[in-house]
Amino acid sequence: NSFNLEWVDRAGNPKLVLEGDSVDSFFSFALSRDGHFLVYNNLEGGGSEGSDLWVYDITRPEVPKRRLTSVGSSGHICIFPVWSPGGKCIVYTDIIPGQSHTLFWRYADGTGEAHELYSSDNTIFPRAWYPPDGTSLLLYVETQNGASDLRVLELTGDDQSGWQAGNIKKFNTTPYGEFNGRFSADGKWLAYDSDETGRRQIYVCSVPDLKNPRQVTFKNYDAYNPIWSDGTNQLLYMTLTRTSRPAQIYKVPYSTD
């Protein structure tokens, strides 16, 4: 199967950005804060040949896409890119199947080398900067007993001098699985999905105390990948049934009063 990258406006109308085919397909991606650049991982050969990260200038589609990593041909899977708060660097996971998950950062313009931040035998993906102006990274981590948690990797540095990793700490660890954490623009709220009810549902809690998480979806199918809308008080998320029904995007208004 191939995947496309599309814009979807608030009325639900799609507009094609990049089209996948039997050779190239797209899975994870991130838009730069100024909305000009898209970084995405290309599942080359439909995913059978690993994947690399590419950067695409949305404002100038005539400019060729730029390859950011060059390890996919060796079987590596570069996935889940996240832009730094300053917009100059990209953090991502480099998977060597059956061996390791390693976090790297490198400059978005392709200069310099990839720099290792953290490596683990377990699944680990960057999800968001914490707080949004960036002193730590929120991570999705699968532990050895199969649990899924949100944790924080402390960082020092900046886009100019480079980033160095410190300690990794528990953040929102419960007996249930937590996934796909996203912070509100003011850094005061965390939205994430959890399997506490037996299905993935969306929850919101205050930061940094993480007290009294509030369930905000009550679907009889999975709801996941919450995203705070810029400029409007809306929380967007996706749903997916365990049948052949296609995924759908929903929006829900919220108030912090």
Side-chain angles (χ1 to χ4, degrees), residues 35 61 92 103 112 122 161 175 186 193:
Y92 61 94
L103 292 178
N122 301 319
S161 63
D186 60 10
D193 46 283

Side-chain angles (χ1 to χ4, degrees), residues 27-241:
F27 181 67
S28 63
F29 58 91
L31 190 65
S32 62
R33 293 195 173 189
D34 61 10
H36 291 177
F37 295 95
L38 184 71
V39 58
Y40 61 90
N41 81 307
N42 187 350
L43 302 173
E44 299 177 61
S48 61
E49 302 174 10
S51 71
D52 276 314
L53 296 179
W54 295 72
V55 176
Y56 177 57
D57 188 341
I58 296 176
T59 63
R60 297 187 298 165
E62 72 279 1
V63 176
K65 299 180 288 290
R66 183 177 69 253
R67 185 190 291 266
L68 188 66
T69 65
S70 301
V71 293
S73 60
S74 300
H76 292 229
I77 301 172
C78 296
I79 198 168
F80 289 116
V82 176
W83 292 87
S84 65
K88 301 295 184 184
C89 299
I90 294 170
V91 178
Y92 61 94
T93 293
D94 182 339
I95 303 172
I96 303 178
Q99 296 186 44
S100 64
H101 286 62
T102 304
L103 292 178
F104 286 93
W105 73 268
R106 71 172 305 162
Y107 289 109
D109 62 7
T111 58
E113 302 293 328
H115 302 270
E116 180 177 329
L117 283 172
Y118 183 82
S119 187
S120 174
D121 294 335
N122 301 319
T123 299
I124 184 167
F125 299 132
R127 304 308 294 154
W129 288 83
Y130 170 68
D133 60 0
T135 54
S136 303
L137 270 174
L138 183 69
L139 307 176
Y140 164 78
V141 177
E142 287 186 7
T143 60
Q144 291 181 345
N145 61 6
S148 301
D149 291 327
L150 296 177
R151 300 190 178 183
V152 164
L153 176 65
E154 296 178 331
L155 297 174
T156 57
D158 53 36
D159 280 359
Q160 182 174 357
S161 63
W163 295 97
Q164 298 81 40
N167 297 322
I168 187 168
K169 296 183 177 181
K170 294 182 179 181
F171 186 72
N172 194 27
T173 303
T174 72
Y176 312 103
E178 293 97 23
F179 315 83
N180 300 314
R182 293 290 192 278
F183 295 103
S184 59
D186 60 10
K188 296 180 179 179
W189 301 92
L190 172 70
Y192 63 97
D193 46 283
S194 169
D195 61 7
E196 180 175 348
T197 66
R199 290 187 180 275
R200 299 265 285 272
Q201 298 295 320
I202 307 299
Y203 293 77
V204 173
C205 63
S206 57
V207 178
D209 56 19
L210 306 179
K211 292 181 178 179
N212 303 317
R214 179 178 299 180
Q215 185 176 343
V216 297
T217 61
F218 299 86
K219 305 293 185 181
N220 59 0
Y221 41 82
D222 291 330
Y224 60 102
N225 267 351
I227 297 176
W228 302 89
S229 175
D230 290 337
T232 64
N233 284 4
Q234 292 180 333
L235 187 66
L236 291 84
Y237 62 92
M238 297 182 65
T239 64
L240 185 66
T241 66

